[in-house]
Every structure is written in C-alpha cells, then in structure tokens.
Amino acid sequence: MVKTIIFDYDGTIHNTLGIYEPAFREAYQWLAEQNVVEEQKIETAQITGWLGLNSKEMWDTFLPELDQRYKDQASAIVGDSMVRQIRKHRAVWYPGAEEMLTALKNRGYHLVILSNCKAAYRKAHWEEFRMERWFERFYDCESYDFCPKTGIVQEFIRDYPGSYLVIGDRRQDLECARSCKSPFIGCLYGYGEKGELDGADYLVKSVEEIAEIIYKRKL
C-alpha cells in the first residue's frame, strides 16, 4: 500500500501556462530591448514545451549561447512576474484538483509536492491556495541548487520512509519514480510531448481519474 504520494505541481495540479506565457514574453521583450536577442514570434506550443524544466534548463535549452548574466536576469523577470500574478489570484488549478486531493488525504495518504520551481514561487502558491490543507511538504528545486528531481527525491526516503507513488506530466517525473522504485501515473492533460510518458505504469486524461486509478489498482 502506498503511504506517500509525490505530486509534480505545474501541469499536474496547476494549469501553469496562463501565468507562465505572459511572464516569459515579458522577459523576452526585455532581452530584445537589450539587443541580445532578435525580436521574433515565439509560438505558444514552444513555450509550453519548457514547462516542467527548471529555469536553468529552460534558458540553456532555449538560448544556450546567451551570456549567463542575461539568462539570470531573464529568469528573475519570469519568476517575479509569475509571483505577482499569483498574488493577483490569476493562478488556477485544474478542475477537480481540490476534490481529488481531499479524497486522498481523507484516506490517509501522505501528500507532498516535488517541483522544478523557485522558492518564491513555491511560497506564493502555498499561501495563495492554502496548500497546508492537503500537503505536508512542498520541495522546490532552487532550495537544492536546481538539482534534478532524481536527486531531490532522496530527501523523501529520509523524511517519509515507506512505499511511494509519483504523479506527473513530464519525463523528469517518470525518471523520478524510477529512481525511488515507485509506480508512476502519467498525466496526459499536462505539458508533456507525444511519447514522453511512454513507460508510465498508468496514464490519466484528467485530474479526476487520478483517485480512480489509485483506488481501482489499490495503490
């Protein structure tokens, strides 16, 4: 019986694109104004593909040749913009997320989050959604020097001994599950690209299906 469920956050619980896309476009506009990138039309689909990466991975993937000083400043602009939007109540969870989390908590599961996000982002969400109602911990990658999830998850082994279940929408979440030898539920409604979740033990097309799978499979 799984005792601890490790949730990814963006693309699994939080419908992130609504606040990430305007934040990214603000940062890119700033880079263009500094004359270090060319103004261009960047499609939403490309922006979506970066969700789930930590900020270092995202900028290294998108603009590998850009001077690190500009990457750091652009990353800060994105982070600050997203936190402002959270404070203005623009962040939204997927429909049914609260009900799913309440049902799992009432059944006695330990619920924690492991996210490739920054500490300020974690804190803003924790306060905005009063996440202590469901979650015992929210692990952000910045607090671990942007270590991959496969490394951070070792903290769970010390803090929450026992069996685990990992739930997420990107390849990094699947790798995280394998690193702690747990089953993995892949969220097809999130931001993963086609084939990215191949190898998942279970796949769901909506938040509501998560609890159904856990109950049906007696995870």
Side-chain angles (χ1 to χ4, degrees):
M1 183 73 175
V2 169
K3 296 180 180 178
T4 302
I5 301 178
I6 303 169
F7 281 92
D8 170 55
Y9 188 61
D10 293 315
T12 300
I13 294 171
H14 175 223
N15 192 350
T16 320
L17 189 63
I19 65 170
Y20 179 70
E21 182 170 5
F24 166 79
R25 294 194 185 282
E26 179 182 339
Y28 192 82
Q29 181 61 38
W30 177 83
L31 290 171
E33 291 169 356
Q34 307 309 304
N35 297 314
V36 294
V37 298
E38 295 182 2
E39 291 196 25
Q40 60 172 306
K41 182 178 180 181
I42 300 174
E43 300 293 342
T44 297
Q46 184 177 6
I47 296 171
T48 299
W50 298 321
L51 288 164
L53 304 181
N54 67 46
S55 61
K56 184 179 185 305
E57 292 171 330
M58 178 268 154
W59 290 105
D60 287 347
T61 298
F62 176 45
L63 296 171
E65 305 301 322
L66 184 66
D67 186 280
Q68 188 61 47
R69 293 172 299 169
Y70 289 107
K71 289 180 184 178
D72 291 343
Q73 183 58 38
S75 176
I77 290 171
V78 171
D80 291 345
S81 174
M82 293 181 79
V83 168
R84 286 197 306 272
Q85 292 180 78
I86 296 165
R87 301 296 188 200
K88 292 178 180 178
H89 315 300
R90 294 175 181 168
V92 296
W93 282 9
Y94 288 106
E98 290 193 11
E99 292 81 0
M100 176 270 295
L101 294 170
T102 298
L104 293 176
K105 185 174 178 61
N106 288 343
R107 289 211 174 194
Y109 292 98
H110 299 291
L111 308 180
V112 295
I113 287 178
L114 173 54
S115 173
N116 276 332
C117 70
K118 294 182 178 181
Y121 182 85
R122 166 187 56 78
K123 184 174 184 292
H125 275 283
W126 188 268
E127 294 173 353
E128 172 69 8
F129 291 98
R130 296 172 52 216
M131 292 172 66
E132 72 280 356
R133 290 180 289 169
W134 302 285
F135 296 100
E136 298 182 20
R137 289 283 300 274
F138 190 144
Y139 294 80
D140 67 88
C141 69
E142 184 180 28
S143 296
Y144 297 89
D145 197 27
F146 296 101
C147 175
K149 287 185 174 183
T150 51
I152 301 172
V153 77
Q154 300 310 311
E155 292 291 321
F156 291 94
I157 294 172
R158 290 190 286 272
D159 296 343
Y160 298 94
S163 53
Y164 313 97
L165 169 67
V166 177
I167 303 173
D169 68 316
R170 300 302 305 266
R171 172 63 54 178
Q172 295 94 325
D173 303 312
L174 174 56
E175 293 170 350
C176 175
R178 296 297 173 254
S179 71
C180 62
K181 299 179 174 58
S182 80
F184 176 67
I185 295 178
C187 301
L188 296 173
Y189 58 83
Y191 300 115
E193 298 177 355
K194 182 176 176 60
E196 191 170 336
L197 298 179
D198 288 352
D201 299 286
Y202 310 98
L203 293 170
V204 295
K205 295 180 180 179
S206 68
V207 165
E208 291 88 348
E209 292 180 28
I210 292 174
E212 295 173 12
I213 286 287
I214 292 172
Y215 302 157
K216 183 176 181 180
R217 301 297 181 180
K218 299 181 179 179
L219 297 177

